[in-house]
Amino acid sequence: MSKNSFAGMNCPIAQTLEQVGEWWSLVILRNAFCGMSRFQDFQQHLGISTSILAQRLGKLVEHGILLRQASATDARIVHYRLTEKGRALYPVLAAMTLWGEQWAPNPQGARLALVEKATGLPVAGVGILAADGRKLQPEQIETVAGPGADDKTHALIRIREETA
């Protein structure tokens, strides 16, 4: 495992970061969720170099998060569309948006608000729900090892158990 890769780490968070953890990837996905799909639009809006953008888009396509499609009207134009796997990242970006507004605010006021289209009301937040729909706090959740857990995972779980 190199310093720049989590590929060899047996952890779902590390494996998620391996696919979307590079900082440009998350803002590219933010823009994709806002409807942006063309390379030149991403490049112009983000001010990112074309080589870095091409690398990041390529990695997101490689991991099945974005789909690269030729335009139906002009084959020279390429669109990058969110896949089901990519759309599943929305709660992560929504949580980061809400966290950023609360814990890294702009002194002039909110930069973004998440509201329900049908009502215009703010979303209540992003959280972990129990099977019956109750919102759970971190101290109400226990992490247990699954069949794919390795020795490091078991050690991490033991640390949590010992400090509980």
Side-chain angles (χ1 to χ4, degrees):
M1 184 171 67
S2 75
K3 279 194 329 190
N4 297 324
S5 174
F6 289 125
M9 191 179 289
N10 187 26
C11 167
I13 294 171
Q15 292 308 305
T16 300
L17 291 171
E18 186 66 21
Q19 294 186 31
V20 298
E22 198 284 324
W23 63 346
W24 282 116
S25 297
L26 294 173
V27 291
I28 289 167
L29 289 172
R30 175 205 60 197
N31 285 22
F33 277 108
C34 288
M36 194 172 286
S37 67
R38 296 182 332 141
F39 185 98
Q40 57 268 38
D41 294 336
F42 285 113
Q43 198 282 321
Q44 182 178 30
H45 185 264
L46 297 172
I48 184 174
S49 76
T50 56
S51 63
I52 298 265
L53 179 58
Q55 290 171 356
R56 298 304 174 257
L57 287 170
K59 187 172 182 180
L60 292 168
V61 169
E62 174 188 335
H63 288 296
I65 295 164
L66 292 177
L67 177 65
R68 190 177 191 274
Q69 291 179 318
S71 171
T73 57
D74 185 344
R76 297 173 296 173
I77 298 173
V78 173
H79 293 278
Y80 293 89
R81 307 276 188 210
L82 289 159
T83 63
E84 181 180 354
K85 182 177 178 179
R87 290 175 54 80
L89 285 164
Y90 188 73
V92 174
L93 272 75
M96 290 178 74
T97 299
L98 296 171
W99 187 93
E101 287 297 351
Q102 181 174 356
W103 298 104
N106 182 315
Q108 297 175 349
R111 294 157 290 210
L112 294 172
L114 302 177
V115 297
E116 184 182 1
K117 279 185 182 181
T119 65
L121 295 173
V123 299
V126 178
I128 305 296
L129 303 180
D132 64 5
R134 291 175 294 113
K135 190 172 183 179
L136 298 174
Q137 297 302 314
E139 59 275 4
Q140 296 174 290
I141 300 169
E142 182 177 8
T143 304
V144 297
D150 60 11
D151 290 342
K152 284 187 173 189
T153 303
H154 286 284
L156 186 62
I157 290 171
R158 278 194 303 276
I159 290 168
R160 183 167 181 167
E161 290 169 351
E162 292 168 3
T163 61

